[in-house]
Amino acid sequence: AQAAALEQALKAEGLAARVLVVMRYAPPRAVAALGEARRDWSDARWVALPLYPQYSFSTTRSSLSELSALMTTPEQERLLTITGYPTDPLYLEAMAACVREALAEVPAHLAEQTELVFSAHSLPLRMVRQGDPYPEHVQQTMAGILRRLDRPPPARLCYQSRIGPVRWLGPSTVETLRGLGQAGRRSVVVVPISFVSEHLETLHELDVELGELARGAGIESYVRARTPGSRPELIAALAHQVRHVLPGRGHT
C-alpha cells in the first residue's frame, strides 16, 4: 500500500516512477527487485528509500549494504541513497496524527492520568559506542512529535525487543510499563516510534504481550497508537525525500 501510494504521488508530480518493495529478511528480497529494475528500468535513476526513519547500523546500513553488494560498480555509482528522515516535518505530522487519534481513545475520566510511552526497537550498546546515531535520531523524532501536540501528557522513551545476553539500550518497555503500574498510573498510550507499518512487534509484542502485562500491572487503559502506514502525510514525506535526492526530474 505504501509503495502504490508513493508511486502515485511521484507520478502526480510528473515523475515516471516505479516503486519496488524490498525486505531485509523475508521476500521480496533485494535480488528480486534488482532483477526487475535491470529488466525494465536499466537506464533509470535508482533511489534507495529505507522505511527506517531513524538511521541505524543494524537496520539502514545493513539493508543498504546488502543492496549495494548485489550491484555492479556502474549500478552502485548510479544509486541515490536516502539514509533517514527523523525530523522530516511531514513524517512528524503523520506520527503526531497517530498519537492524537490514540489519545482520543482514552476514556475521559482517565485523560488527566495518561502517560505517553514512546517505544523504539532497542539496539545493543556496543553499536551506540561505535557511533550509531539511532538513539539521537529517536530522541529527535520524539521531540518533534511532542512539539506538534496540543498540551501533550507526560512522556518517556523506552526500548523494546531486546534479545540475547548482551547489554541493550534501556530502559525496556517491559520495565517501564511495570513501573508505571506500580506507581499508580492508570492510563498509558504506547507509541511505536521507530516503525512506519504494522508487523510482529506492533501487532503481537505491543498489542498482545505488553498489553496483557500493562493490565496485569494495574493499568486500566492501554492504548497503542497506530503506525502511519499509508497516511497521506507519510507518503508526502517519502515523496519529498525522493525528490530531494534527485538531480532533476525524469525517468526514475
Side-chain angles (χ1 to χ4, degrees):
Q2 288 169 330
L6 177 58
E7 191 169 297
Q8 289 302 312
L10 293 172
K11 286 181 178 179
E13 297 188 10
L15 289 169
R18 178 79 173 96
V19 180
L20 306 177
V21 176
V22 174
M23 300 292 181
R24 181 66 178 92
Y25 298 109
R29 299 297 299 273
V31 65
L34 277 175
E36 182 175 345
R38 286 166 177 156
R39 184 183 67 244
D40 301 329
W41 298 79
S42 60
D43 62 340
R45 283 282 189 180
W46 293 353
V47 180
L49 171 62
L51 290 177
Y52 309 111
Q54 301 87 14
Y55 181 95
S56 173
F57 297 166
S58 64
T59 54
T60 316
R61 188 175 72 177
S62 174
S63 297
L64 294 176
S65 295
E66 180 192 43
L67 184 63
S68 179
L70 294 169
M71 291 180 168
T72 65
T73 299
E75 288 171 344
Q76 292 172 353
E77 293 172 349
R78 190 167 72 242
L79 181 69
L80 303 172
T81 300
I82 297 164
T83 56
Y85 36 97
T87 59
D88 183 290
L90 291 166
Y91 160 65
L92 292 174
E93 182 51 43
M95 291 294 295
C98 294
V99 176
R100 291 189 199 101
E101 291 171 2
L103 287 170
E105 294 181 34
V106 175
H109 71 283
L110 293 174
E112 297 300 321
Q113 302 179 48
T114 299
E115 183 138 353
L116 280 177
V117 176
F118 288 86
S119 183
H121 186 94
S122 194
L123 191 72
L125 284 177
R126 60 179 171 79
M127 291 187 177
V128 180
R129 298 190 189 101
Q130 292 168 2
D132 195 312
Y134 175 74
E136 180 182 356
H137 284 188
V138 170
Q139 291 167 2
Q140 290 172 348
T141 297
M142 176 177 167
I145 295 170
L146 291 174
R147 284 196 298 270
R148 285 163 172 77
L149 300 178
D150 182 27
R151 297 178 59 202
R156 64 181 69 206
L157 175 63
C158 52
Y159 294 88
Q160 66 185 87
S161 309
R162 299 191 297 185
I163 56 173
V166 300
R167 295 185 64 192
W168 291 71
L169 275 172
S172 76
T173 307
V174 168
E175 295 165 353
T176 298
L177 291 174
R178 282 180 178 153
L180 288 171
Q182 292 169 359
R185 184 67 70 180
R186 291 293 171 259
S187 173
V188 298
V189 170
V190 175
V191 183
I193 193 173
S194 54
F195 306 127
V196 295
S197 56
E198 305 293 350
H199 62 304
L200 181 68
E201 291 183 45
T202 60
L203 298 172
H204 186 76
E205 185 176 356
L206 289 180
D207 289 358
V208 178
E209 295 180 357
L210 293 179
E212 291 176 356
L213 182 147
R215 286 183 283 272
I219 295 172
E220 181 180 341
S221 174
Y222 178 89
V223 178
R224 200 265 294 174
R226 301 296 101 183
T227 55
S230 54
R231 295 186 75 106
E233 303 95 332
L234 176 65
I235 301 306
L238 299 179
H240 168 75
Q241 292 298 320
V242 172
R243 292 194 310 272
H244 182 72
V245 299
L246 289 176
R249 298 195 171 195
H251 194 54
T252 304

